[in-house]
Amino acid sequence: MYQAPRGTNDILPEDWPYWRYLRDQIERLASLYGFERIDTPIFEVTELFERGVGEAASVMVEKEMYTFTDKGGVSLTLRPEFTAGVMRAYLEHGMRVRPSPVKLYSIGPIFRQERPQAGRFRQHTQWNLEVLGEMDPAVDFEVMSIAWQLFEDIGFRGLSFQLNSIGCPRCRPAHIQALVEHFSAHREKLSDVDKRRLELNPLRLLDSKEPAAQPLLDRAPRSVDFLCDECREHFATLRSYLDGAGLPYTVNPRLVRGFDYYTKTVFEVWAEGIGAQAAVCGGGRYDGLIELLGGPPTPGIGFGSGIERLILTLKAQGVVPPPLPRPLVQVSYVAQGEAGRAVKQAAVHLARELRRAGIGALLPFGDRSLKAQLKAADRQGVRYVVILGEGELAAGQLTLRDLAEATQQAVARDDLIPWLRRRLDQA
RNA sequence: GUGACCAUAGCUCAAUUGGCAGAGCACCUGGUUGUGGCCCAGGAGGUUAUGGGUUCAAGCCCCAUUGGUCACCCCA
């Protein structure tokens, strides 16, 4: 028996209301804020994803990438993130000559070869958003705002917005050095995992879950205390916008990023009740990235939000998405005896006629008993059953049964569509 | 990648010290001619995840593989 590969999921029909709901809301907000959709390939040349993340991170990251060589000998990788591909497209199509800033969003699958756990899969879907070409902290505010509004509009409660500033290449080195000094002084108290972090990626010590590290973390140097004038000003202005809008957030000095290209603003949104992988949105500013990818110096900021985690949160909070439209009419038939063929024929054509008139209709197959047809209609949530038999056919009439009211009446064949329209419009 | 727990019908779960693989729900059919929900009866549905091993005998014990769940690592 075949099974879906580890960490992949089928989206079954019963889950589609959630997906449709989120996509509709995302698209509505994107156009409200003036974001345009871009779709980039699901795979890119591997090098694109290796550039820029930083030396330490690059080794780690390669282990989690789905990399393969195509028949032309080119190394390709299923995208582990959106940002690199979108930056590539921005450069490749000369988008910097478009009205600035360029505001783009994407929705699609992301691939990372990780061990699955609650809210973490090898293929998952992200809503991704980028603003390119603008340093103004008002952009940071706008990017956070749109995420905020989505969560508000879909009825999320109890979310926690985490905010920090990790500085820029000018001010960060001093912070890192202070961190290294702080933790090196207590090196023997650190776990093996944290000792490795100390060497490879000291910033990551700040969000360590190791119990041994917790006492040291309280007194650890905070990035906000090392910001240069520009970064401090940027952070203060962003906070003034957030405060002015009354958006509640927590300044979290332990909120960091694993990759070198991040600058200034970082933020995450955490949800309760969906396990250890609680971030439903994570983003930040990356003013150095485009340059790393070979483009002109261009500021950028964006976030990614995992749709599967959003759906987990919707379910955990009991949010019920609007149902998908279904046919409310069924064309049933009694296809028995000599006249059966003509009756079936008429039913097949009637179903088509209803659908062409924009009325959703089901047609039972297999010439099953009327009883079975009605039972199926009931199960599928049909409201009106059009019953067609030998008698109706001869009289140019139809029997119309209302399943909710348990009543039925004769309707002239020619009056059927107006009759149904009248009822369906009310419902 | 590491660790713990787990895998029996589409779903939720039973199956005595190792001794003929079951129930509920869902699905299909019927309960006299063309009428749903409730009820009753019947049917279909399984190589017990896969491959080995131990045994007279394995759903049950052992090994491996695959997958699941949760946490760690990592987090773009």
Side-chain angles (χ1 to χ4, degrees), chain A residues 104-116:
Chain A
L104 302 169
Y105 79 99
S106 311
I107 301 175
I110 293 292
F111 305 86
R112 296 177 193 171
Q113 190 160 169
E114 307 174 292
R115 194 78 161 253

Side-chain angles (χ1 to χ4, degrees), chain A residues 137 140-141 144 163 233-242 265:
Chain A
D140 305 43
F141 173 73
M144 292 180 73
L163 177 69
E233 173 72 24
H234 186 98
F235 193 45
T237 307
L238 169 59
R239 291 189 61 181
S240 78
Y241 294 147
L242 292 166
T265 311

